[in-house]
Amino acid sequence: MAEPVQTVRSTLGCEDPDPAKGPVDLDSFPGCRAVHIPKDEIAGYEGRLEYWEARTGTAMVLCEPVTTWHEQPSQRLARLTERIAASRGSPIETFGCCDLVRFDESGAREALMQADQVVYLRPLTTPVMEEPAVDVDGAARPDVVLEVDYSTDVRRGKLRLYEAWGFPEVWVDVPDVRSPNRPKSRPSGLTIHVREDGHFREAASSRAFPSWTAEEIHRALNEQPVSRETLDVLRRVGRTLGEAEGTGPDDDPWLAAERAAGRAGMVVAILEARGVPASPELATRLAGLVGVTDAELVGAANACSSAEELLRLLRR
């Protein structure tokens, strides 16, 4: 079982139960400019923004254009979680930049944010795809949100909103590639904020992805290419999640098929080494066998005198 997440109180500088109820503090969204978007236009707005609230129609949009340096960590996270999901043996879903919305009593949008990446650990049991936007007060709140602070600083305002809106875990990554507008006093690195007693606390490792440390996550999001050390970490995290759910790599359709193909290739290699003819179709037929152990495959491959006898032995 994973060790409990060790936390310290985050310094957000505000104890307001919901900062969205007050006036928009422009200084809380560095790297952004204020733009007016009326309530009746926000649902169809296609641009990228940090925050929008309905009372004044104020939207905070990024001053800098979207760059590959900003987008790379969030897209990398989607690929990393696919590898973790394969090791766990059950899917993980990511949705990139989508609207995280608070709705009023009439069902109209009251306030929204856009994250750089959102992660769902159990998408098959979470109603993620039922609506075009995520209702943050509903059942589809993400397990993890990633914010990439390339030219922004979500600690001043946006992080307080995530805390007030009840998000369970937020990662803030400051990329190794430096924006010209980022203060030199702000070093690169990743900070994990986990919810505890209604507030965010900084944690050394993720609660959603047990044992995955902030240092390991930052390295995985920023290194080129993905290192062997990071791949080992992803397997560890995936296996830890799988142990808690009773699943593993063989429950992943892709890895199960790859393993079956590898076992079939092993059997064909044994036959060829023994001088037993093997047709090109044999490997495909072997890969389709279910419930046969590695020991049974190797035993039959060493005992048979023909491919037909091999299949008879394995189908006993």
Side-chain angles (χ1 to χ4, degrees):
M1 180 177 294
E3 293 295 322
V5 175
Q6 300 298 314
T7 63
V8 295
R9 182 74 172 91
S10 296
T11 305
L12 302 185
C14 178
E15 296 298 329
D16 191 332
D18 188 351
K21 299 296 185 182
V24 179
D25 181 4
L26 303 185
D27 291 335
S28 294
F29 294 89
C32 298
R33 67 182 187 277
V35 174
H36 180 68
I37 303 176
K39 290 192 292 185
D40 59 355
E41 296 181 10
I42 189 62
Y45 181 73
E46 297 182 353
R48 295 282 295 271
L49 54 83
E50 290 283 278
Y51 173 67
W52 173 88
E53 59 95 23
R55 287 176 297 109
T56 62
T58 301
M60 305 305 298
V61 301
L62 295 175
C63 294
E64 287 194 1
V66 176
T67 65
T68 56
W69 298 323
H70 176 273
E71 294 299 289
Q72 189 269 342
S74 60
Q75 297 305 312
R76 173 69 68 81
L77 180 59
R79 297 193 296 273
L80 296 172
T81 55
E82 283 188 354
R83 294 178 185 266
I84 291 174
S87 291
R88 181 177 71 170
S90 59
I92 295 173
E93 190 64 83
T94 57
F95 285 90
C97 180
C98 59
D99 288 350
L100 309 173
V101 184
R102 291 204 108 166
F103 295 93
D104 61 22
E105 295 180 355
S106 69
R109 299 187 178 207
E110 184 176 64
L112 67 81
M113 291 187 287
Q114 290 180 346
D116 292 310
Q117 187 61 271
V118 296
V119 182
Y120 289 87
L121 282 171
R122 295 165 186 84
L124 299 181
T125 58
T126 305
V128 185
M129 296 295 292
E130 294 181 0
E131 300 292 339
V134 175
D135 180 357
V136 301
D137 295 311
R141 187 180 288 137
D143 295 291
V144 172
V145 165
L146 171 67
E147 288 285 351
V148 179
D149 270 359
Y150 175 68
S151 61
T152 58
D153 186 350
V154 302
R155 299 173 303 171
R156 297 197 200 176
K158 204 171 181 182
L159 193 58
R160 299 207 311 267
L161 289 163
Y162 280 123
E163 180 182 72
W165 291 6
F167 282 73
E169 185 165 331
V170 175
W171 300 350
V172 180
D173 189 62
V174 180
D176 291 339
V177 177
R178 178 176 293 277
S179 165
N181 294 325
R182 191 174 87 209
K184 293 183 178 180
S185 59
R186 183 110 191 261
S188 63
L190 184 134
T191 307
I192 298 172
H193 302 269
V194 296
R195 191 170 188 79
E196 190 172 288
D197 299 327
H199 294 285
F200 278 151
R201 296 182 179 274
E202 292 184 17
S205 60
S206 172
R207 182 173 291 163
F209 293 89
S211 83
W212 206 6
T213 69
E215 182 178 354
E216 290 169 339
I217 297 169
H218 175 75
R219 175 180 177 176
L221 295 180
N222 288 269
E223 66 183 358
Q224 293 286 0
V226 177
S227 65
R228 181 173 296 277
E229 291 78 10
T230 290
L231 294 176
D232 289 341
V233 169
L234 300 180
R235 292 190 193 94
R236 183 195 74 213
V237 175
R239 294 298 180 91
T240 301
L241 287 168
E243 288 173 2
E245 298 185 6
T247 57
D250 283 343
D251 295 299
D252 179 78
W254 172 259
L255 288 187
E258 288 292 291
R259 184 168 184 268
R263 296 196 319 162
M266 172 190 67
V267 171
V268 170
I270 293 174
L271 295 180
E272 291 177 346
R274 296 183 55 230
V276 177
S279 67
E281 295 79 19
L282 179 61
T284 301
R285 296 179 67 180
L286 290 171
L289 295 179
V290 178
V292 180
T293 67
D294 289 352
E296 289 171 332
L297 283 170
V298 173
N302 282 308
C304 69
S305 58
S306 68
E308 290 73 18
E309 183 182 3
L310 169 72
L311 293 173
R312 287 197 300 270
L313 290 171
L314 294 175
R315 289 172 176 169
R316 64 191 184 286

